[in-house]
Amino acid sequence: MSHPLANDKNLDKIRIPDPLRDGRLPMYLKCIKLLDEAFGGRMTVICGADGPLTIASHLIGIENLMMLMTDDPQYVKELLDVTAEVSAVFSTAQIKAGTTIAHVGDPEAALLGPKLYEEFCHPVYVKIAKKWKEAETSGGKRHATLYHFCGNAAAIFARIASTGVDMMDVDSLVPMKTAKELVGNVCL
C-alpha cells in the first residue's frame, strides 16, 4: 500500500473532502436522510468516520507516524489538525443529515500511552466533540456522540471521557467494570 505523504511532508496536498460533493460521500448522506425520514425516532442510525490518528496513519504509514511523534512532533500536530478536520467535516455532515449517533473510530489511539495521547490526540478530540455540538445547534437533530478505540486503551480512558463525548465504545480487552470506573458518567 502506498502512503501519499510517506516521503513528502507537504500538508498542502491534503484537501478536505466535501461530503456534499466528493466521491460516494453524498450517497452516504442521502442514505442517512432516507433512514431518518422513514424511521425518524423509531430506529437508531449510527454513522462513522475514521479518527484523526487513523487517517494520518493511512497518509504516512503507522510506523512513520509513531517515529515522527519523537522526531518531528510539530509536523504530527499539524497533520492531526488537518486529519481532525476531515473527521469533523464528515461526521458533522452526518449529524446534519439526521444520524442518531455520530461515531469516530480511532483504533490506532490504543497504541499511545497517556503522555503521547495527551500531547497529540486529546486536543484534536476536543475540537471534534466541540464541532459535533455546534452541528446540532446549527440545524442538526439531537444526537449522541461516540468515540471508538480498539485494544486496551484503559490508560487514556479518563482523558477521552473528558473531551465532551457522550459515549465510548470499548474493546473486550478492558473489563466493563474497570472501564466504567475510569470514564465516570460517559456511557459505555
Coordinates of all heavy atoms in Angstrom, one line a residue, residues 12 23 33-34 49 52 54 57 59 62 64 74 87 95 103 108 114 118-119 128 146 150 155 159 169 180 183 186:
D12 N 0.0 20.6 2.2 CA -0.9 21.3 1.2 C -1.5 20.3 0.2 O -2.4 20.6 -0.5 CB -0.1 22.3 0.4 CG 0.3 23.5 1.3 OD1 -0.4 23.8 2.3 OD2 1.3 24.2 1.0
G23 N -16.8 12.1 -4.1 CA -16.8 10.6 -4.1 C -18.2 10.1 -3.8 O -19.2 10.5 -4.3
K33 N -30.3 10.4 5.4 CA -31.6 11.2 5.3 C -32.8 10.3 5.0 O -33.8 10.5 5.6 CB -31.4 12.2 4.2 CG -30.6 13.4 4.6 CD -30.5 14.4 3.4 CE -29.5 15.5 3.8 NZ -29.3 16.5 2.8
L34 N -32.6 9.3 4.1 CA -33.7 8.4 3.8 C -34.1 7.6 5.1 O -35.3 7.4 5.4 CB -33.3 7.5 2.7 CG -33.2 8.1 1.3 CD1 -32.6 7.1 0.3 CD2 -34.6 8.7 0.9
A49 N -17.0 7.7 11.0 CA -15.9 8.3 10.3 C -14.6 7.9 11.0 O -14.6 7.6 12.2 CB -16.0 9.9 10.3
P52 N -8.7 11.0 13.5 CA -7.5 11.7 13.0 C -6.3 10.9 13.0 O -5.5 11.0 12.0 CB -7.4 12.9 14.0 CG -8.5 12.9 14.9 CD -9.3 11.7 14.7
T54 N -6.1 7.6 12.7 CA -6.3 6.6 11.7 C -6.0 7.2 10.3 O -5.3 6.6 9.5 CB -7.7 6.0 11.8 OG1 -7.8 5.4 13.1 CG2 -7.9 5.0 10.7
S57 N -2.4 7.8 9.8 CA -1.6 6.6 9.6 C -1.8 6.1 8.1 O -0.9 5.5 7.6 CB -2.0 5.5 10.6 OG -3.3 5.0 10.3
L59 N -2.1 8.1 5.6 CA -1.4 9.1 4.8 C 0.1 8.9 4.8 O 0.8 9.1 3.8 CB -1.8 10.5 5.2 CG -3.2 11.0 4.9 CD1 -3.5 12.3 5.5 CD2 -3.4 11.0 3.4
I62 N 1.7 3.9 9.7 CA 1.7 3.9 11.1 C 3.1 3.9 11.7 O 3.3 4.6 12.7 CB 0.9 2.7 11.7 CG1 0.6 2.9 13.2 CG2 1.5 1.4 11.4 CD1 -0.2 4.0 13.6
N64 N 5.8 5.3 10.4 CA 6.3 6.7 10.2 C 5.7 7.6 11.2 O 6.3 8.5 11.8 CB 6.0 7.2 8.8 CG 6.9 6.6 7.7 OD1 8.0 6.0 8.0 ND2 6.5 6.6 6.5
Q74 N 6.0 18.6 15.9 CA 5.2 19.7 15.4 C 4.5 19.3 14.1 O 3.4 19.7 13.9 CB 6.1 20.9 15.2 CG 5.3 22.2 14.8 CD 4.3 22.6 15.8 OE1 4.4 22.5 17.0 NE2 3.1 23.0 15.3
S87 N -12.2 14.4 9.8 CA -13.1 13.6 10.6 C -14.3 14.5 11.0 O -15.5 14.0 10.9 CB -12.5 13.1 11.9 OG -11.5 12.2 11.7
I95 N -24.4 14.3 11.1 CA -25.3 14.8 12.1 C -26.4 15.7 11.4 O -27.6 15.5 11.7 CB -24.6 15.7 13.1 CG1 -23.7 14.8 14.0 CG2 -25.5 16.5 14.0 CD1 -22.7 15.5 14.8
H103 N -20.2 8.8 15.2 CA -19.2 7.9 15.7 C -17.8 8.2 15.0 O -17.8 8.3 13.8 CB -19.7 6.5 15.4 CG -18.6 5.4 15.5 ND1 -17.9 5.0 14.3 CD2 -18.2 4.7 16.5 CE1 -17.1 4.1 14.7 NE2 -17.2 3.8 15.9
E108 N -6.0 3.2 16.3 CA -4.5 3.5 16.5 C -4.3 4.2 17.8 O -3.2 4.1 18.3 CB -3.9 4.2 15.3 CG -3.7 3.4 14.1 CD -4.9 3.2 13.2 OE1 -6.0 3.5 13.7 OE2 -4.8 2.7 12.1
P114 N -0.5 7.5 27.9 CA -1.1 8.7 28.4 C -0.4 10.0 27.9 O -1.0 11.0 27.5 CB -1.1 8.6 29.9 CG -1.1 7.2 30.2 CD -0.3 6.5 29.1
E118 N -2.0 12.6 25.3 CA -2.3 14.0 25.8 C -1.7 15.0 24.8 O -2.3 16.0 24.5 CB -1.7 14.2 27.2 CG -2.1 15.5 27.9 CD -3.5 15.6 28.2 OE1 -4.2 14.6 28.5 OE2 -4.1 16.7 28.1
E119 N -0.5 14.7 24.4 CA 0.2 15.7 23.5 C -0.4 15.7 22.1 O -0.6 16.8 21.6 CB 1.7 15.3 23.4 CG 2.5 16.3 22.5 CD 4.0 16.0 22.5 OE1 4.4 15.1 23.2 OE2 4.7 16.7 21.7
I128 N -13.1 18.0 17.8 CA -14.1 17.2 17.1 C -15.4 17.2 17.9 O -16.5 17.5 17.4 CB -13.7 15.8 16.8 CG1 -12.6 15.8 15.7 CG2 -14.9 14.9 16.3 CD1 -11.9 14.5 15.5
L146 N -19.9 9.5 19.9 CA -19.3 8.2 20.3 C -17.8 8.2 19.8 O -17.6 8.4 18.6 CB -20.0 7.0 19.8 CG -19.4 5.7 19.8 CD1 -19.5 5.1 21.3 CD2 -20.1 4.7 18.9
C150 N -9.9 0.5 19.7 CA -9.6 -0.9 19.8 C -8.5 -1.2 20.9 O -7.8 -0.3 21.2 CB -9.2 -1.5 18.5 SG -10.5 -1.5 17.2
A155 N -5.6 3.1 29.8 CA -4.7 4.2 30.3 C -5.1 5.6 29.9 O -4.7 6.6 30.5 CB -3.3 3.9 29.9
R159 N -9.1 10.6 30.1 CA -8.9 11.8 29.3 C -9.9 11.8 28.1 O -10.4 12.8 27.7 CB -7.5 11.9 28.8 CG -6.5 12.2 29.9 CD -6.8 13.5 30.7 NE -6.5 14.6 29.8 CZ -7.2 15.8 29.9 NH1 -8.1 16.0 30.7 NH2 -6.9 16.7 29.0
D169 N -17.0 3.5 23.0 CA -17.1 2.1 22.7 C -15.8 1.4 23.0 O -14.7 1.8 22.5 CB -17.4 2.0 21.2 CG -17.5 0.5 20.7 OD1 -17.7 -0.4 21.5 OD2 -17.5 0.4 19.5
K180 N -15.9 1.5 33.3 CA -16.8 2.4 34.0 C -16.2 3.3 35.1 O -16.5 4.4 35.2 CB -18.0 1.6 34.5 CG -19.2 2.5 34.9 CD -19.7 3.4 33.7 CE -20.7 4.4 34.1 NZ -20.9 5.4 33.1
V183 N -14.3 6.2 33.3 CA -14.9 7.2 32.5 C -16.1 7.9 33.2 O -16.6 8.9 32.6 CB -15.5 6.6 31.2 CG1 -14.4 5.9 30.4 CG2 -16.7 5.6 31.4
V186 N -19.8 9.0 31.4 CA -19.8 8.8 30.0 C -20.4 7.4 29.8 O -20.0 6.4 30.4 CB -18.4 8.9 29.3 CG1 -18.5 8.4 27.9 CG2 -17.9 10.3 29.4

